[in-house]
Amino acid sequence: MTQAELKLCSLLLREYFGDIVETIGTFLIRSGPQPLRLIAADTGLLLDQVKKALCVLIQHNLVGYQVQKRGLVEYEARCRRVLRILRYPRYIYTAKSLYGDTGELLVEELLLNGHMSMSALVRKVADRLTETMEDGKTMDYSEVANTFVRLADTHFVQRCPLVPEGLDTPTVPPPPAPTLVLNEKDMYVVPRLNLVGKGKRRRSCEEEDGEHQAKKQKQDGESTEPPPDDGIYWQVNIDRFHQHFRDQAIVSAIANRMDQTSSEIVRTMLRMSEVTTSSNAPYTQPLSSNEIFRSLPAGYNIGKQVLDQYLTLLADDPLEFVGKARDSGGGMFTVNLHKALASLATATLESIVEERFGSRCARIFRLLLRKKHLEQKQVEDFAMIPAKEAKDMLYRMLSENLVVLQSVANLMERRQYESRENKRLLEKSQRVEAILASLQATGAGDTQLQDIEEMITGPERHQLDTLKRNVNKLDASETQVDETIFVLESFIESTVRQP
């Protein structure tokens, strides 16, 4: 792992989980697999603090464990998984665009908690949605559960591995750490639950105390049964989101190169294959033109003959995003995922080179990509650039990394600096917002609300607006850099998988 990646992991862990978890996570990234007591000794933290931090990291799938031959349990950081925290906002936004507010909150809660049971997740999201609805309206558990089922059917959420049954017996001592197992055929199977109820709003302190006492009295007189899905936990399937990002990038590239109809045909092919094709497959499953025609979006008015013409054009295109598997029955067509990623990565790199070094360097870069290897003299001749200038450009491109994670780390540090510098004002703003929310819930008048709002002065409000704009710009820049990194990483991974 490079220093830039290590720095970014450290920043992400601190921002999402705090200093203690960041200390443990960074130590494991630097040192590799370590046993519990050695982690405590080397970090200087209390054993109880280390245990709690490891629980958090394991809960979020950021640390794994392995039982060694002598029975010692070693903990190991999952560095790549830590870096995926950077994409959490993008996962949440994608869920919202595909499945609305309910899908957004389901994915957000899973990311915030690491993993949850379906019943607990449905209740939590129903409560959050009810909070945002008008008085008298509530969100049914069944409606949230239906969206959860759709997320599972399209593989955006999946079951977590379980502790196998039968380990806890009087005759056999428990292992130092359980080996988790998961049957692949059950990975997306949603348990049959009869979730009846509606989301609840937060009550005032007096109401909550009274309700708590009533619940306690009721529970004292009856045994509490575990929920029907007790022990079945769900997590976000990050690979499936990455597959969706890849497909969207391919569709966008087709739209820019050809037209909207071509991109919609490719989108349909990718959608038909999204569950049946592995996320790391070089091609989608072969599809006949008849199958594609039947699966086009409702209201998309193109005839079968026009579709066949578009498929032929796509298959004949030099970029070869679409390939023709065989001619029988009108032809079988696939999306060549590896070649599509190669084209996307090439276009991304060319854009970066042109932006950083200028159009002449971009010309040399495209030449090197096409010819694979050239001597300096050949570069001068083919690119038609003077010798001294060509040499200088080659040296500049050679001496600088084109894309590094350092960019993201710098953006995160700047955003955190902005927040630290305005910490007092941000805390004051949060206190005022909390008071306003409490008064609105109790039906306070406009005059009283205005008095509270005026606790933040005009200059302070202007400072808050400026801070918000700056932070939003930095957030957008982080996302943009990560989109570039995603395209290049996807291409590298697909290249490694090629036989």
Side-chain angles (χ1 to χ4, degrees), residues 58-72:
I58 291 169
Q59 170 91 3
H60 288 265
N61 207 23
L62 304 175
V63 162
Y65 57 83
Q66 191 76 35
V67 181
Q68 302 303 315
K69 289 182 180 178
R70 296 183 180 180
L72 193 67

Side-chain angles (χ1 to χ4, degrees), residues 120-134:
L121 179 61
V122 166
R123 291 189 181 97
K124 175 71 173 175
V125 170
D127 289 348
R128 286 186 62 183
L129 288 168
T130 298
E131 285 284 343
T132 64
M133 298 171 83
E134 297 175 8

Side-chain angles (χ1 to χ4, degrees), residues 418 421-433 451-470:
E418 292 277 355
E421 288 296 297
N422 295 275
K423 182 180 178 182
R424 184 200 63 79
L425 184 56
L426 286 170
E427 288 175 348
K428 181 179 177 180
S429 174
Q430 288 168 356
R431 287 196 300 271
V432 169
E433 286 175 1
D451 289 342
I452 299 298
E453 286 176 351
E454 289 174 355
M455 289 172 66
I456 296 180
T457 65
E460 285 177 331
R461 198 167 296 283
H462 176 72
Q463 191 177 345
L464 280 169
D465 290 341
T466 302
L467 174 63
K468 186 176 180 180
R469 280 197 305 273
N470 290 341

Side-chain angles (χ1 to χ4, degrees), residues 318-491:
L319 290 183
E320 300 180 271
F321 276 32
V322 172
K324 195 169 186 179
R326 54 180 182 268
D327 292 323
S328 59
M332 300 291 284
F333 297 88
T334 64
V335 179
N336 189 330
L337 301 170
H338 175 67
K339 287 191 175 178
L341 286 171
S343 295
L344 290 171
T346 300
T348 300
L349 285 173
E350 288 178 3
S351 174
I352 293 166
V353 171
E354 184 159 359
E355 185 178 332
R356 291 184 63 170
F357 303 107
S359 59
R360 290 189 141 194
C361 280
R363 192 194 310 170
I364 293 175
F365 187 75
R366 280 192 289 269
L367 185 63
L368 290 170
L369 281 174
R370 192 166 61 250
K371 299 291 186 180
K372 308 300 181 188
H373 175 78
L374 289 172
E375 299 294 338
Q376 184 180 318
K377 182 67 172 67
Q378 292 175 301
V379 171
E380 298 161 13
D381 294 339
F382 281 120
M384 293 183 291
I385 293 173
K388 187 177 181 303
E389 198 174 342
K391 182 179 179 181
D392 180 57
M393 289 176 179
L394 285 168
Y395 176 76
R396 284 171 59 204
M397 287 193 286
L398 185 66
S399 62
E400 291 195 37
N401 292 323
L402 298 183
V403 181
V404 288
L405 286 172
Q406 185 66 41
S407 303
V408 187
N410 289 343
L411 289 166
M412 284 193 67
E413 283 188 318
R414 179 66 192 178
R415 177 164 52 79
Q416 291 174 1
Y417 169 80
E418 292 277 355
S419 298
R420 281 197 307 272
E421 288 296 297
N422 295 275
K423 182 180 178 182
R424 184 200 63 79
L425 184 56
L426 286 170
E427 288 175 348
K428 181 179 177 180
S429 174
Q430 288 168 356
R431 287 196 300 271
V432 169
E433 286 175 1
I435 294 169
L436 285 170
S438 178
L439 289 173
Q440 285 170 344
T442 56
D446 292 341
T447 305
Q448 191 176 2
L449 293 174
Q450 187 176 348
D451 289 342
I452 299 298
E453 286 176 351
E454 289 174 355
M455 289 172 66
I456 296 180
T457 65
E460 285 177 331
R461 198 167 296 283
H462 176 72
Q463 191 177 345
L464 280 169
D465 290 341
T466 302
L467 174 63
K468 186 176 180 180
R469 280 197 305 273
N470 290 341
V471 169
N472 286 343
K473 284 180 183 177
L474 290 166
D475 281 339
S477 298
E478 284 177 40
T479 303
Q480 191 173 8
V481 173
D482 182 63
E483 286 175 3
T484 300
I485 292 169
F486 171 75
V487 169
L488 299 178
E489 277 183 351
S490 299
F491 170 63

